[in-house]
């Protein structure tokens, strides 16, 4: 059986279950990101629908899920405050056009230059952040919006760790019960319940958690006084109630086309396009690593898909979209096999907006927090840390630095810090053993073992400075295809000073490798 046949067999059963799980995870995220951005709540839901349907159809990835991203929250909130929401929508459309250009120019390959250790560190860090951020929600402290990825809370007074401490000191009994029951179901469903009857294979554990968590809270409401979680206190899903599909159009502003005369719109558009493209490419790479079938998606096609998504979202009054690791990982771990799980989750979001608002507004955030905690723990297993440690310090250091940077700053800053450390170790590894010196009596051979660039200047100077006086030195460039100007400047200086040490220099196979076509004058 081919890979395609293996994936396609009964895939709708898996995709339907995964689409439902992603919908349950994405719903509060879309609302929370819109709230944190200072945008209308419906704008987040519109972006979720567009990310699932438009990007889902065009993208080449079978597991990636797009929608509004927490990583853009600060940029979006600042732009809305500065430009106003209608003008901001114009910037979103311009960002989408730029992403189409990025794809046409084949700039998606930039993700291939991100070290694997940084990608794995990003995934593990996101898992850790998910767990840390959801602990307060699991304990009934719902002051922070769902899936804020920054270490510093939006109010500037709290951080991730202090929020956990405060939630422990002020835990809600109802939330704790719902969270513990939800975690028990998630951890035991596949092992204890599913083997007892085939029918249970068709029911995803997260769906059971949502139903059971809601029923428990309703039982608390009916049977206890003040023990249940209340929507007015922010402990339940909060979905706008619409009377008809027309309300979606009427509730959201439209782009202000006159805003294209404002230079700030273009600056915002460039910023959104750059950051959203980077996040999408990294999420695409992460999704490929999570995909159990290891399918490859074209990054340039992903940029085009994201561009079309942002143009559509901006036209409809929605927030900018990117590919999002949290929803992608939820999709994979829920068993999603093809893009239909992504599209289905968007259709469920749309149906929820139109018809299910009153029902879903009874779902406690504590139950959703339990789902996300389990997803997060799967992204950062102990075996991953052990594997990265065994691969050596050059791999482990960028990996662990990326994790710490993301956990204690935010996603974008953490990835950039991890990337800088990763590049340093790549340069360090590349410069190792680039040349070798062998000597006998008054003769010495300096052989270049690989291409020589500016990163090898220090090693080259060290080797040359160790050549003793009265030596006949041969510098052999046979194995080097390229030697840059910096290396030849070091050789020039050495040849100039060699006469004071009675060192004679001879060059072998270096002609034609110097940018100016000349060699240092041997003596």
């Amino acid at each position: 059986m081919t890979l395609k046949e293996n994936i396609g067999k009964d895939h709708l059963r898996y995709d339907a279950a995964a689409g439902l799980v992603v919908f349950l995870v994405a719903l509060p995220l879309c609302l929370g990101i819109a709230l944190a951005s200072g945008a209308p709540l419906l704008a987040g839901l519109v972006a979720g629908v567009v990310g699932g349907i438009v990007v889902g159809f065009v993208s080449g990835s079978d597991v990636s899920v797009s929608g509004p991203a927490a990583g853009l929250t600060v940029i979006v909130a600042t732009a809305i405050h500065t430009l106003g929401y209608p003008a901001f929508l114009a910037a979103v459309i311009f960002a989408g056009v730029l992403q189409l250009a990025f794809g046409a120019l084949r700039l998606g390959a930039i993700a291939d230059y991100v070290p694997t250790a940084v990608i794995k560190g990003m995934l593990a860090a996101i898992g850790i952040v998910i767990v840390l951020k959801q602990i307060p929600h699991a304990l009934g402290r719902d002051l922070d919006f769902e899936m804020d990825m920054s270490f510093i809370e939006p109010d500037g007074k709290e951080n991730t760790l202090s929020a956990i401490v405060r939630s422990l000191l002020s835990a809600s009994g109802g939330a704790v019960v719902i969270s513990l029951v939800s975690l028990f179901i998630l951890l035991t469903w596949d092992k204890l319940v599913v083997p007892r009857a085939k029918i249970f294979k068709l029911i995803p554990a997260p769906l059971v958690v949502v139903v059971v968590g809601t029923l428990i809270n309703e039982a608390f409401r009916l049977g206890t006084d003040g023990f249940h979680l209340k929507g007015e206190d922010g402990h339940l899903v909060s979905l706008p109630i619409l009377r008809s599909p027309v309300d979606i159009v009427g509730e959201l502003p439209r782009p202000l086309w006159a805003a294209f005369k404002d230079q700030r719109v273009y600056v915002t558009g460039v910023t959104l396009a750059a950051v959203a493209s980077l996040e999408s490419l990294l999420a695409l790479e992460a999704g490929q690593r999570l995909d159990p079938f290891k399918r490859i998606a074209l990054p340039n096609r992903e940029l085009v898909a994201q561009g079309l998504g942002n143009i559509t979202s901006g036209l409809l009054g929605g927030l900018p979209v990117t590919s999002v690791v949290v929803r992608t990982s939820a999709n994979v771990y829920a068993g999603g096999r093809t893009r239909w799980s992504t599209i289905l989750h968007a259709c469920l979001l749309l149906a929820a907006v139109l018809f299910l608002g009153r029902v879903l507004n009874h779902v406690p955030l504590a139950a959703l927090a339990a789902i996300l905690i389990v997803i997060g723990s799967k992204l950062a297993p102990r075996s991953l840390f052990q594997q990265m440690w065994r691969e050596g310090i050059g791999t482990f250091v960028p990996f662990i630095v990326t994790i710490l940077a993301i956990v204690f700053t935010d996603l974008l800053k953490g990835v950039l810090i991890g990337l800088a450390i990763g590049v340093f170790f790549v340069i360090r590894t590349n410069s190792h053993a680039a040349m070798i010196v062998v000597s006998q009596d008054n003769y010495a051979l300096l052989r270049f073992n690989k291409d020589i660039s500016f990163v090898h200047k220090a090693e080259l100077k060290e080797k040359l400075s160790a050549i003793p006086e009265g030596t006949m030195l041969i510098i052999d460039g046979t194995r080097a295809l390229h030697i840059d100007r910096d290396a030849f400047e070091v050789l020039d200086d050495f040849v100039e000073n060699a006469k004071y040490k009675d060192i004679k220099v001879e060059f072998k196979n270096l002609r034609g490798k110097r940018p100016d076509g000349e060699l240092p004058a041997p003596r």
Side-chain angles (χ1 to χ4, degrees):
M1 182 178 290
T2 65
L3 174 62
K4 185 175 181 180
E5 291 172 340
N6 185 48
I7 297 173
K9 185 180 180 181
D10 297 329
H11 69 79
L12 284 179
R13 173 164 64 90
Y14 294 97
D15 289 339
L20 181 59
V21 172
V22 178
F23 156 69
L24 293 171
V25 171
L27 179 62
L29 301 189
C30 292
L31 296 171
I33 292 169
L35 181 64
S37 302
L41 291 180
L42 275 177
L45 293 170
V46 167
V49 172
V50 170
I53 295 178
V54 176
V55 180
F57 268 115
V58 181
S59 172
S61 174
D62 286 288
V63 298
S64 178
V65 183
S66 296
L72 295 177
T73 301
V74 175
I75 298 172
V76 171
T78 303
I80 292 175
H81 176 75
T82 304
L83 300 173
Y85 197 70
F88 166 75
L89 294 176
V92 174
I93 295 172
F94 179 63
V97 172
L98 286 179
Q99 288 181 300
L100 292 179
F102 293 165
L105 294 172
R106 309 184 69 81
L107 298 182
I110 189 173
D112 296 333
Y113 295 94
V114 179
T116 300
V118 175
I119 296 292
K120 291 184 177 180
M122 179 187 73
L123 281 172
I126 288 174
I128 293 170
V129 172
I130 289 174
V131 173
L132 295 177
K133 288 290 187 178
Q134 293 306 311
I135 289 175
H137 291 288
L139 297 175
R141 187 179 188 272
D142 299 302
L143 300 179
D144 188 18
F145 74 93
E146 286 281 337
M147 277 321 302
D148 165 36
M149 295 293 290
S150 299
F151 181 70
I152 303 298
E153 302 277 314
D155 60 8
K157 300 177 182 178
E158 297 277 358
N159 58 52
T160 301
L161 300 180
S162 65
I164 293 176
V165 173
R166 287 189 179 274
S167 64
L168 289 170
L169 297 176
S170 60
S172 164
V176 171
V177 171
I178 293 172
S179 299
L180 291 177
V181 172
S182 299
L183 287 171
F184 178 78
I185 293 172
L186 290 166
L187 296 175
T188 61
W189 184 259
D190 290 335
K191 296 179 181 179
L192 301 180
V193 180
V194 170
R196 296 182 181 275
K198 292 183 178 180
I199 187 64
F200 292 126
K201 291 183 178 180
L202 302 176
I203 306 174
L207 176 59
V208 179
V209 165
V210 170
V211 173
V212 171
T214 302
L215 292 176
I216 291 176
N217 194 50
E218 289 300 306
F220 287 157
R221 185 177 65 84
L222 296 174
T224 62
D225 184 19
F227 200 64
H228 72 285
L229 302 177
K230 302 176 182 179
E232 54 266 28
D233 295 331
H235 300 313
L236 306 179
V237 169
S238 177
L239 195 63
I241 306 299
L242 301 177
R243 294 183 297 274
S244 70
V246 180
D247 286 353
I248 298 179
V249 179
E251 286 284 334
L252 290 174
R254 289 291 167 264
L256 180 63
W257 301 110
F260 281 111
K261 298 177 181 179
D262 188 343
Q263 183 179 0
R264 296 175 299 175
V265 168
Y266 297 98
V267 174
T268 301
V270 170
T271 304
L272 286 173
V275 177
S277 297
L278 178 59
E279 288 200 16
S280 294
L281 292 174
L282 292 177
L284 182 71
E285 178 73 17
Q288 291 175 174
R289 294 183 180 279
L290 293 173
D291 183 5
F293 298 102
K294 303 303 179 187
R295 290 163 288 185
I296 302 299
L298 299 177
N300 295 314
R301 179 174 174 178
E302 183 67 19
L303 288 176
V304 171
Q306 296 295 332
L308 291 174
N310 276 316
I311 292 173
T312 306
S313 186
L315 289 172
L316 295 177
L319 292 175
V321 300
T322 73
S323 179
V324 188
V325 177
V326 176
R327 272 159 270 189
T328 299
S329 58
N331 185 30
V332 172
Y333 288 123
R337 295 192 172 190
T338 72
R339 69 186 63 188
W340 287 107
S341 61
T342 300
I343 296 168
L344 176 61
H345 112 275
C347 293
L348 290 173
L349 278 176
L350 182 59
V353 172
L354 296 177
F355 310 114
L356 302 177
R358 288 185 174 84
V359 175
L360 292 172
N361 285 348
H362 291 281
V363 177
L365 294 181
L368 299 180
I371 296 173
L372 287 168
I373 286 173
V374 172
I375 290 172
S377 64
K378 290 181 179 179
L379 286 173
R382 183 176 64 178
S383 59
L384 175 61
F385 290 82
Q386 293 171 338
Q387 173 196 344
M388 300 305 286
W389 175 258
R390 288 194 297 267
E391 291 184 9
I393 190 170
T395 298
F396 184 77
V397 171
F399 169 75
I400 201 70
V401 167
T402 301
I403 291 176
L404 294 174
I406 290 176
V407 170
F408 290 103
T409 57
D410 57 41
L411 180 61
L412 183 59
K413 292 178 184 176
V415 168
L416 292 177
I417 292 172
L419 182 60
I421 299 297
V423 169
F424 169 78
F425 273 90
V426 168
I427 293 175
R428 180 176 177 270
T429 301
N430 187 55
S431 64
H432 180 67
M435 60 198 76
I436 187 173
V437 174
V438 293
S439 60
Q440 183 176 2
D441 299 330
N442 292 331
Y443 292 89
L445 170 67
L446 170 62
R447 173 178 291 161
F448 295 140
N449 295 324
K450 59 177 71 173
D451 292 351
I452 304 299
S453 67
F454 71 94
V455 301
H456 303 108
K457 284 178 62 176
E459 183 182 3
L460 180 58
K461 288 181 178 180
E462 181 182 354
K463 299 288 188 187
L464 292 174
S465 65
I467 302 297
E469 295 183 3
T471 298
M472 174 62 194
L473 173 65
I474 299 174
I475 300 178
D476 184 4
T478 304
R479 297 182 180 179
L481 297 177
H482 171 76
I483 302 174
D484 72 10
R485 183 179 298 276
D486 292 272
F488 275 110
E489 287 181 356
V490 174
L491 294 177
D492 286 342
D493 292 339
F494 177 76
V495 169
E496 179 65 26
N497 295 320
K499 58 187 178 183
Y500 302 109
K501 296 183 177 182
D502 193 27
I503 296 175
K504 297 181 180 180
V505 182
E506 180 180 332
F507 299 103
K508 181 180 179 182
N509 292 324
L510 284 180
R511 187 171 301 279
K513 296 179 181 180
R514 179 166 180 156
D516 57 15
E518 298 181 1
L519 290 177
R523 58 178 308 276

